[in-house]
Amino acid sequence: MRDRNPYSATILIYCEDKQGIIASVTDFIQEHDGNIIYLDQYVDTEENTFFMRIEWELENFIISTDKIDTLFKEGLAKKFKMNYRLYFSDEKLRMAVFVSKLPHCLFDILARTQSGEWPVEIPLIISNHEDLRPVAEKFGIDYHCFPVNPDNKKEQEEKEIALLKEKQIDFIVLARYMQVLTDDFIKQYPENIINIHHSFLPAFPGAKPYHSAYKRGVKIIGATSHYVTAELDEGPIIEQDVARVTHNDSVKDLIRKGRDLEKIVLSRAILSHFKRKTLVYKNRTIVFS
Amino acid sequence: MRDRNPYSATILIYCEDKQGIIASVTDFIQEHDGNIIYLDQYVDTEENTFFMRIEWELENFIISTDKIDTLFKEGLAKKFKMNYRLYFSDEKLRMAVFVSKLPHCLFDILARTQSGEWPVEIPLIISNHEDLRPVAEKFGIDYHCFPVNPDNKKEQEEKEIALLKEKQIDFIVLARYMQVLTDDFIKQYPENIINIHHSFLPAFPGAKPYHSAYKRGVKIIGATSHYVTAELDEGPIIEQDVARVTHNDSVKDLIRKGRDLEKIVLSRAILSHFKRKTLVYKNRTIVFS
Amino acid sequence: MRDRNPYSATILIYCEDKQGIIASVTDFIQEHDGNIIYLDQYVDTEENTFFMRIEWELENFIISTDKIDTLFKEGLAKKFKMNYRLYFSDEKLRMAVFVSKLPHCLFDILARTQSGEWPVEIPLIISNHEDLRPVAEKFGIDYHCFPVNPDNKKEQEEKEIALLKEKQIDFIVLARYMQVLTDDFIKQYPENIINIHHSFLPAFPGAKPYHSAYKRGVKIIGATSHYVTAELDEGPIIEQDVARVTHNDSVKDLIRKGRDLEKIVLSRAILSHFKRKTLVYKNRTIVFS
Amino acid sequence: MRDRNPYSATILIYCEDKQGIIASVTDFIQEHDGNIIYLDQYVDTEENTFFMRIEWELENFIISTDKIDTLFKEGLAKKFKMNYRLYFSDEKLRMAVFVSKLPHCLFDILARTQSGEWPVEIPLIISNHEDLRPVAEKFGIDYHCFPVNPDNKKEQEEKEIALLKEKQIDFIVLARYMQVLTDDFIKQYPENIINIHHSFLPAFPGAKPYHSAYKRGVKIIGATSHYVTAELDEGPIIEQDVARVTHNDSVKDLIRKGRDLEKIVLSRAILSHFKRKTLVYKNRTIVFS
């Protein structure tokens, strides 16, 4: 199934929890000869909210691809007042990468796309510094430098947005981009901007978390990937991981160990995102298996 | 939902994968006013086999509890040729613990049951040695000693089985019981005997795994909990975990670090078992979330 | 070496870093025919401070046990202005355990001492509730209940201290004791009170960390054992560990998974403490291997 | 200290354990005004063998760099019959990378060297296939293809050795190189060939470990980096790490999760090697902290 990679459709749903949702959705697919290849659901009982991810093969599905959305919207979505998103497996998402000076996450992302590990396109890299232009050139990707300062930030972001729209970017990855984006920018890509923060959030938000971690004498460090929201380092968490440290590790050692964490955690979050495994609800991220 | 702990029924199913199974099962529950509170399914595409765990509240379910099994068997189970098991949430399983001389797993199990962490009863402890009788007495549990040697093994096991049957034992936990059970014994409790092996299987099966791990110079040790089958240390794995070690750790250090692994891994496996989260198929264990 | 468990002495040292300290200390032991069986040192370069743990066999050591302290103090300690502590391997530390209502850490500690895993004595358990008296009785340990409220806190603590002194307690373990100790109490046992906090500090200090972790949507939870200081949950960290969670885990699930973390992390911290592996400096804990 | 990166010397020692070794070595450095910045030692009590890594700043050291080796050899090394190796911190090691078709480890290694994370030179990449030539070209590194079959293996290896010698290669990394090297080849670089095996050795040696892991139903997969010896997958282990998997992970998922493990584990092993932290003794690797 997973190994066959058939042409398939995926629906991500959330709505008020009621009896009969699962039966109705699976009936809808089954009656039209769709073969379900993934189903996971979750109920937040405090919020009385139902969440579901369902994927089915389109090979024998008797509704044509361009009609599925309308039929689902008019039928089940209306009946259960669902919020939903429909995806098809042949889409290839277009990702923009924002960087500053540190190359490790960028290298990791580029290696995964160019080796075919990820079916994702990277039409451009944006930075506030020139430092990583050689890396972009090595991989043959357009590199745009928009130096940012408090005075020109709004203006520069507008240029960036124009470029992102022109290049039809689907989602943005902040790969150790050391700038805070404005709310106006964030609103252009809701739940489509992924950041990596170099600490185990909510511990050590903000600047220089490894220095803070050293000073606090923690025995474990972490990295956190999350969707960017208006509140700095407060967005819904997608993925976290940790590494053990000792008193013997200097700040420099923490930074070195942290680099590996950051790139792996960020890459796992990107994978969950483009495989349509994530659903954000009230600042928490449901990450389907 | 999970927090409410309602009176509920659970069905674990496996059968040949076909279109419509999920829709049919969810319809069956939904039509009779059951509220589904858990659904997870998995398809082994190589074996073309479908697996499912579904749990629903019985509060408004219009089929009476004693009729569910018959109705399900005559209906869906027959139609899809399902293997299935039905459970009700008010059962309290009866567990027997087998030990030899090492107390750490036994203490952990007894603490969990007596503190109310686990809704499980332990009517008896069986051992081939007298060493842990004081522990059993401390917790007020019957302790039966059956010293085993090559000559009396068959005979002793028969006595043990008689006792287990008399006490209506549902499943058996080998908590560092250093004896190999005969096939005849194992056949009495298929998929209901849980062992803890003190290595990361399939590495270091058999005796003295910590000594072998030390000699091989591994940098990580592990523990493995599995269902007992006729092949020693080859049964389907339920849970594993690991701990980091260094060249500096002696065999004694490995044994010390391993003790904590063993008791935690065994307890997680027991939890999955009595919460009806496990399903064995062709020597692999599906462990539902 | 470690396997022999010889009669040995251990010195823990810290002082300003200077050339020649290691050579001087090892010479001191070597010249008097002591066989060094452990040496680890660490330099905090920012603070220019030297830390060392050294252990040597006393079998052929030509200085008699009761003279070592004086000779070391008048010699090397004076020369290098060392802070140091000297221990002998045949001491058996006396530990008091403070609990409230949750039994899991207490059971784990009692199991380890009574099974001989830890060479530590527990002369008494202190609580602000009666709930765990049956556990203490099961293990034959004195249980003293001092209900605490804002009005009687000072008075009750004085009674507790009197009892601790009478019983010659060396160090105190707060095994999910839900009360904050006053500074006056803490000053009686500096660097000798070990707490377990049920979060990955500095994330989620204070009350109800699992509820906060759930609300924040973290993907990993943790537990932290630290020495108690006047600042709540701010003392020097001894040990931390984490467990992975998902959106699917309710607060109740976090509490369940956290229980295992708490007891293991606390027990590792206690082990490091009574094996004289820890040294506190400026709110960080050096934990020798 | 670590943060200053001073010009320093490191000695790795092993010899029969005797009283006075540590004192003698630290005296040797101290008497000549060397400042010790790292000292770790370990005694294998079963083998009665002493191991030590010591590093000191050369700034005020009164023995000139070119005399240290001779003086140490004639003095302490002779007295204690030490095996030892002396290194200086300004060496830049020359590494050759062997690959077949899989690019993930290669990309990771190249990113680390070209971003300055590792002070190591890569004069050449050797492969038995043409597939990764574009990656080498992207990073501007010589790529030599030596297709190997049973008939030409000896001949091709001789050419490879000639090339390695010509390029003055210090050590070799097999970054998912799918060929077994002959003993003659291995003897040219004893303890200087590092392999990554895609399983948690000693579990699943040989070909297709992820398929075997899937079939066995393990709940954790691993990767192992080790020095290459004449026995396939039996060499001394440098580093291992693991990742959790479930019944839900197909072989393809294991391969995907394993890729990240492989590259991180291999890179950690390479780091330990070129920082002179490793010492091999009787098929175990001492990895100093």
Side-chain angles (χ1 to χ4, degrees):
Chain A
M1 199 153 289
R2 291 167 180 241
D3 290 333
R4 276 186 274 152
N5 286 327
Y7 183 37
S8 66
T10 297
I11 294 187
L12 286 165
I13 297 165
Y14 72 89
C15 59
E16 196 188 327
D17 189 27
K18 281 179 190 154
Q19 277 197 21
I21 304 177
I22 299 172
S24 301
V25 175
T26 54
D27 273 352
F28 169 80
I29 294 166
Q30 146 76 2
E31 281 166 6
H32 301 99
D33 291 345
N35 187 33
I36 297 168
I37 54 176
Y38 179 95
L39 186 161
D40 198 7
Q41 54 85 44
Y42 158 68
V43 179
D44 183 330
T45 54
E46 281 184 32
E47 303 281 347
N48 197 39
T49 303
F50 173 87
F51 302 87
M52 186 181 197
R53 184 182 187 276
I54 190 160
E55 185 177 355
W56 69 98
E57 291 177 318
L58 292 172
E59 199 181 355
N60 302 312
F61 201 54
I62 57 178
I63 308 175
S64 66
T65 304
D66 57 337
K67 298 263 168 55
I68 298 173
D69 192 34
T70 310
L71 270 166
F72 192 81
K73 192 194 299 173
E74 300 301 322
L76 292 179
K78 188 170 276 178
K79 180 178 172 192
F80 290 105
K81 292 179 188 157
M82 288 172 176
N83 296 280
Y84 77 94
R85 297 197 309 261
L86 171 68
Y87 303 109
F88 296 101
S89 61
D90 58 352
E91 296 169 302
K92 201 167 181 183
L93 291 186
R94 294 167 68 80
M95 164 168 80
V97 185
F98 280 50
V99 296
S100 285
K101 296 183 169 185
L102 295 170
H104 55 287
C105 290
L106 179 61
F107 265 121
D108 198 55
I109 288 167
L110 296 178
R112 288 176 201 264
T113 47
Q114 297 223 348
S115 68
E117 189 180 321
W118 285 355
V120 165
E121 279 183 45
I122 305 183
L124 81 163
I125 295 167
I126 285 178
S127 182
N128 54 335
H129 293 286
E130 284 291 346
D131 303 56
L132 300 183
R133 187 180 292 278
V135 179
E137 285 172 353
K138 201 185 289 291
F139 285 81
I141 295 173
D142 282 356
Y143 187 88
H144 300 264
C145 188
F146 296 92
V148 177
N149 61 51
D151 292 334
N152 73 355
K153 188 163 203 167
K154 196 178 160 53
E155 190 185 334
Q156 292 292 64
E157 282 195 351
E158 279 165 10
K159 284 185 202 160
E160 288 166 5
I161 291 168
L163 188 61
L164 295 167
K165 298 293 178 189
E166 182 201 323
K167 296 288 187 180
Q168 300 177 54
I169 294 303
D170 293 302
F171 73 107
I172 295 165
V173 170
L174 309 184
R176 297 300 312 276
Y177 180 62
M178 307 303 275
Q179 291 291 318
V180 177
L181 300 173
T182 66
D183 285 12
D184 287 341
F185 187 107
I186 296 166
K187 275 174 196 155
Q188 297 291 321
Y189 290 91
E191 293 168 23
N192 274 303
I193 308 175
I194 299 172
N195 185 42
I196 179 72
H197 182 75
H198 41 311
S199 85
F200 186 83
L201 288 175
F204 312 123
K208 294 205 172 273
Y210 292 124
H211 290 77
S212 306
Y214 177 82
K215 205 177 158 202
R216 181 63 187 90
V218 294
K219 299 304 185 192
I220 286 175
I221 56 166
T224 304
S225 190
H226 62 92
Y227 286 113
V228 174
T229 59
E231 310 300 316
L232 184 66
D233 297 335
E234 292 282 340
I237 294 168
I238 309 167
E239 171 68 352
Q240 301 186 291
D241 211 341
V242 296
R244 202 161 270 277
V245 297
T246 76
H247 63 272
N248 209 18
D249 287 303
S250 64
V251 172
K252 211 172 160 183
D253 292 323
L254 301 192
I255 290 170
R256 174 178 56 75
K257 291 187 174 182
R259 265 198 300 261
D260 282 5
L261 274 182
E262 293 160 25
K263 75 185 189 192
I264 295 295
V265 167
L266 178 57
S267 286
R268 284 193 206 135
I270 295 171
L271 181 80
S272 294
H273 180 82
F274 77 70
K275 291 188 87 171
R276 310 303 197 177
K277 298 275 188 174
T278 63
L279 213 162
V280 171
Y281 186 73
K282 298 213 171 182
N283 215 40
R284 301 174 71 230
T285 311
I286 287 93
V287 182
F288 291 103
S289 63
Chain B
M1 196 153 289
R2 292 169 179 239
D3 291 333
R4 276 187 272 153
N5 286 328
Y7 183 37
S8 66
T10 297
I11 295 187
L12 285 165
I13 297 165
Y14 71 89
C15 60
E16 195 189 328
D17 188 27
K18 282 181 190 152
Q19 278 197 17
I21 304 177
I22 299 173
S24 302
V25 175
T26 54
D27 272 352
F28 169 80
I29 295 166
Q30 147 75 2
E31 280 165 8
H32 301 98
D33 291 343
N35 187 34
I36 296 168
I37 54 175
Y38 179 95
L39 185 161
D40 198 7
Q41 54 86 43
Y42 158 69
V43 179
D44 183 329
T45 54
E46 281 184 33
E47 303 280 347
N48 196 37
T49 304
F50 173 88
F51 301 86
M52 188 180 196
R53 183 181 187 277
I54 190 160
E55 186 176 355
W56 69 98
E57 292 177 318
L58 291 172
E59 198 180 357
N60 301 312
F61 202 55
I62 57 178
I63 308 176
S64 66
T65 304
D66 58 335
K67 298 263 168 57
I68 297 173
D69 193 34
T70 309
L71 269 164
F72 192 81
K73 192 194 300 174
E74 301 300 323
L76 291 179
K78 187 170 277 176
K79 181 179 171 191
F80 290 104
K81 292 178 187 153
M82 289 172 176
N83 297 279
Y84 77 95
R85 299 198 308 262
L86 171 69
Y87 302 109
F88 296 100
S89 61
D90 58 352
E91 296 168 301
K92 202 167 180 183
L93 291 186
R94 296 168 66 82
M95 165 169 79
V97 186
F98 279 52
V99 295
S100 286
K101 296 185 171 185
L102 295 170
H104 54 287
C105 290
L106 179 62
F107 264 121
D108 198 56
I109 288 166
L110 296 178
R112 288 175 200 265
T113 46
Q114 298 222 347
S115 67
E117 189 180 321
W118 284 354
V120 165
E121 279 184 46
I122 305 183
L124 81 162
I125 294 168
I126 285 178
S127 182
N128 53 335
H129 293 285
E130 285 291 346
D131 302 58
L132 300 183
R133 186 180 291 278
V135 179
E137 284 171 353
K138 200 183 291 290
F139 286 80
I141 295 172
D142 282 356
Y143 187 89
H144 301 264
C145 188
F146 295 93
V148 177
N149 60 50
D151 292 335
N152 74 355
K153 187 162 206 169
K154 197 177 159 54
E155 190 185 336
Q156 293 291 67
E157 282 195 351
E158 278 165 11
K159 285 185 200 160
E160 289 165 5
I161 291 168
L163 188 61
L164 295 167
K165 298 291 178 190
E166 181 201 325
K167 296 287 187 179
Q168 300 176 54
I169 295 303
D170 293 301
F171 73 106
I172 294 165
V173 170
L174 309 184
R176 301 297 314 273
Y177 181 61
M178 307 303 274
Q179 290 292 318
V180 178
L181 300 173
T182 66
D183 286 10
D184 287 341
F185 187 107
I186 296 167
K187 274 175 197 154
Q188 298 291 322
Y189 289 92
E191 293 167 25
N192 274 303
I193 308 175
I194 299 173
N195 186 40
I196 180 71
H197 183 75
H198 41 315
S199 84
F200 186 82
L201 288 175
F204 312 123
K208 296 206 171 273
Y210 293 124
H211 290 75
S212 306
Y214 178 82
K215 206 177 157 203
R216 181 63 187 90
V218 294
K219 299 303 183 190
I220 287 175
I221 56 166
T224 303
S225 189
H226 62 92
Y227 287 113
V228 174
T229 59
E231 309 301 316
L232 182 65
D233 297 333
E234 293 283 339
I237 294 169
I238 308 168
E239 171 68 350
Q240 300 187 291
D241 212 341
V242 297
R244 202 162 270 277
V245 297
T246 76
H247 63 272
N248 209 19
D249 287 303
S250 64
V251 171
K252 210 172 161 183
D253 293 323
L254 301 192
I255 290 169
R256 174 179 55 76
K257 291 187 173 183
R259 267 198 299 259
D260 282 6
L261 274 182
E262 293 160 26
K263 75 185 187 191
I264 295 294
V265 167
L266 177 58
S267 286
R268 285 193 206 134
I270 295 170
L271 181 79
S272 293
H273 181 82
F274 77 69
K275 291 188 87 171
R276 309 304 196 177
K277 299 273 188 175
T278 61
L279 213 161
V280 171
Y281 185 73
K282 298 213 171 180
N283 215 42
R284 301 175 70 229
T285 311
I286 286 95
V287 183
F288 291 102
S289 64
Chain C
M1 197 154 288
R2 293 169 179 239
D3 291 334
R4 277 186 271 152
N5 285 327
Y7 182 37
S8 66
T10 297
I11 294 188
L12 285 165
I13 297 165
Y14 73 89
C15 58
E16 196 190 327
D17 189 26
K18 281 182 190 151
Q19 278 197 17
I21 304 176
I22 300 173
S24 301
V25 175
T26 53
D27 272 352
F28 170 80
I29 295 166
Q30 148 74 3
E31 281 165 6
H32 301 99
D33 291 344
N35 187 33
I36 296 169
I37 54 175
Y38 179 94
L39 185 161
D40 198 6
Q41 55 85 42
Y42 158 69
V43 179
D44 183 330
T45 54
E46 281 184 32
E47 303 280 347
N48 196 37
T49 304
F50 173 88
F51 302 87
M52 189 181 195
R53 183 182 188 276
I54 191 160
E55 186 176 354
W56 70 99
E57 291 177 318
L58 292 171
E59 200 180 356
N60 302 313
F61 201 55
I62 57 179
I63 308 176
S64 67
T65 304
D66 57 337
K67 298 260 169 58
I68 297 173
D69 192 33
T70 310
L71 268 165
F72 192 80
K73 192 194 300 173
E74 301 300 324
L76 291 179
K78 188 171 276 176
K79 179 179 173 193
F80 289 104
K81 292 178 187 155
M82 289 172 176
N83 296 280
Y84 78 95
R85 298 199 309 262
L86 171 69
Y87 303 109
F88 296 99
S89 62
D90 58 352
E91 296 168 302
K92 202 168 180 183
L93 291 186
R94 294 167 68 82
M95 164 168 79
V97 186
F98 280 52
V99 296
S100 284
K101 296 184 170 186
L102 295 171
H104 55 288
C105 290
L106 178 61
F107 265 121
D108 198 55
I109 288 166
L110 296 178
R112 288 176 201 264
T113 45
Q114 298 222 346
S115 67
E117 189 180 320
W118 285 354
V120 165
E121 277 183 48
I122 305 183
L124 82 161
I125 295 167
I126 285 178
S127 182
N128 54 336
H129 292 286
E130 284 291 347
D131 301 59
L132 300 184
R133 185 180 292 279
V135 179
E137 285 172 353
K138 199 184 291 291
F139 286 80
I141 295 173
D142 281 356
Y143 187 90
H144 300 265
C145 190
F146 296 92
V148 177
N149 61 50
D151 292 336
N152 73 355
K153 189 165 204 167
K154 198 178 158 53
E155 188 184 335
Q156 293 291 66
E157 281 194 353
E158 279 165 9
K159 285 185 201 161
E160 289 166 5
I161 290 167
L163 189 61
L164 295 167
K165 299 291 178 191
E166 181 200 325
K167 296 288 186 178
Q168 301 177 52
I169 294 302
D170 294 301
F171 73 107
I172 294 165
V173 170
L174 309 184
R176 299 298 313 274
Y177 180 62
M178 307 304 272
Q179 291 291 319
V180 177
L181 300 173
T182 65
D183 286 10
D184 286 341
F185 187 107
I186 296 167
K187 275 175 197 155
Q188 298 291 322
Y189 290 91
E191 292 166 26
N192 274 303
I193 308 175
I194 298 172
N195 185 41
I196 179 71
H197 183 74
H198 40 315
S199 85
F200 185 83
L201 289 175
F204 312 125
K208 294 206 172 275
Y210 292 124
H211 290 76
S212 306
Y214 177 82
K215 207 178 157 203
R216 180 62 187 92
V218 295
K219 299 304 183 190
I220 286 175
I221 56 167
T224 304
S225 191
H226 61 92
Y227 287 114
V228 174
T229 59
E231 310 299 315
L232 183 65
D233 297 334
E234 293 282 340
I237 294 169
I238 308 168
E239 170 69 351
Q240 301 187 289
D241 211 342
V242 296
R244 201 161 271 276
V245 298
T246 76
H247 63 271
N248 209 20
D249 287 303
S250 65
V251 171
K252 210 171 161 183
D253 292 323
L254 301 192
I255 290 169
R256 174 178 55 75
K257 291 187 174 183
R259 267 197 299 260
D260 282 6
L261 274 182
E262 293 160 26
K263 74 184 189 193
I264 295 295
V265 166
L266 178 57
S267 286
R268 285 192 206 135
I270 295 170
L271 181 79
S272 294
H273 181 82
F274 77 69
K275 291 187 85 170
R276 309 302 196 178
K277 298 274 188 175
T278 62
L279 212 161
V280 172
Y281 186 74
K282 299 216 169 178
N283 216 41
R284 301 174 72 230
T285 312
I286 286 95
V287 183
F288 291 103
S289 63
Chain D
M1 197 152 289
R2 295 173 176 235
D3 290 333
R4 277 186 272 152
N5 286 327
Y7 183 38
S8 66
T10 297
I11 294 188
L12 286 164
I13 297 165
Y14 72 88
C15 58
E16 196 189 327
D17 189 27
K18 283 182 190 151
Q19 276 197 19
I21 304 177
I22 299 173
S24 301
V25 175
T26 54
D27 273 351
F28 169 80
I29 294 167
Q30 148 75 3
E31 281 166 7
H32 301 98
D33 291 342
N35 187 34
I36 296 168
I37 54 176
Y38 180 95
L39 185 162
D40 199 7
Q41 54 84 42
Y42 158 68
V43 179
D44 183 329
T45 54
E46 281 184 32
E47 303 280 348
N48 197 38
T49 303
F50 173 88
F51 302 87
M52 186 180 198
R53 184 183 185 276
I54 190 159
E55 186 177 354
W56 71 99
E57 292 176 318
L58 292 172
E59 200 181 353
N60 301 312
F61 201 55
I62 56 178
I63 307 176
S64 66
T65 305
D66 58 337
K67 299 261 168 58
I68 298 173
D69 192 34
T70 309
L71 270 165
F72 192 81
K73 194 193 300 175
E74 301 301 324
L76 292 179
K78 188 170 276 177
K79 180 177 173 193
F80 289 106
K81 291 179 190 156
M82 289 173 176
N83 296 279
Y84 78 95
R85 297 198 310 262
L86 171 68
Y87 303 109
F88 296 100
S89 61
D90 58 351
E91 296 169 302
K92 201 167 181 182
L93 291 186
R94 296 168 67 81
M95 162 168 80
V97 185
F98 280 51
V99 296
S100 285
K101 297 184 170 185
L102 295 170
H104 55 288
C105 289
L106 179 60
F107 265 121
D108 198 55
I109 288 167
L110 296 179
R112 289 176 201 264
T113 45
Q114 298 223 344
S115 68
E117 189 179 320
W118 285 354
V120 164
E121 278 183 47
I122 305 184
L124 82 163
I125 295 167
I126 285 177
S127 181
N128 54 334
H129 293 286
E130 284 291 345
D131 302 57
L132 299 183
R133 186 179 292 278
V135 178
E137 285 172 354
K138 201 185 290 293
F139 286 81
I141 295 173
D142 282 355
Y143 187 89
H144 300 264
C145 189
F146 295 93
V148 177
N149 61 48
D151 293 335
N152 73 355
K153 189 164 204 166
K154 195 177 162 53
E155 188 185 336
Q156 292 291 65
E157 281 195 351
E158 280 166 9
K159 286 184 201 162
E160 289 165 3
I161 290 167
L163 189 60
L164 295 167
K165 298 292 178 190
E166 182 201 323
K167 296 285 187 180
Q168 300 176 54
I169 295 303
D170 293 302
F171 72 107
I172 295 166
V173 171
L174 309 184
R176 299 298 313 274
Y177 180 62
M178 307 303 274
Q179 291 292 319
V180 177
L181 300 172
T182 65
D183 286 11
D184 287 340
F185 187 106
I186 295 166
K187 275 174 196 155
Q188 298 292 322
Y189 290 92
E191 292 168 27
N192 274 303
I193 307 175
I194 299 172
N195 185 42
I196 180 70
H197 183 75
H198 41 312
S199 85
F200 186 83
L201 288 175
F204 311 124
K208 294 204 172 274
Y210 293 124
H211 291 77
S212 306
Y214 177 83
K215 206 177 158 202
R216 181 63 187 89
V218 293
K219 299 303 184 190
I220 287 175
I221 56 167
T224 304
S225 190
H226 62 92
Y227 287 114
V228 174
T229 58
E231 309 301 315
L232 184 65
D233 298 333
E234 293 282 340
I237 294 169
I238 309 168
E239 171 68 351
Q240 300 187 289
D241 212 341
V242 297
R244 202 162 270 278
V245 297
T246 76
H247 63 272
N248 210 18
D249 287 302
S250 64
V251 171
K252 211 172 159 182
D253 292 324
L254 301 193
I255 290 170
R256 174 177 56 75
K257 291 187 174 184
R259 266 198 299 261
D260 281 6
L261 274 182
E262 293 160 25
K263 74 185 188 192
I264 295 295
V265 167
L266 178 57
S267 286
R268 285 193 205 134
I270 295 171
L271 182 78
S272 294
H273 181 82
F274 77 70
K275 291 188 87 171
R276 311 302 197 177
K277 299 274 188 174
T278 62
L279 213 162
V280 172
Y281 186 74
K282 298 213 172 180
N283 215 41
R284 300 174 73 229
T285 312
I286 286 95
V287 184
F288 291 102
S289 65

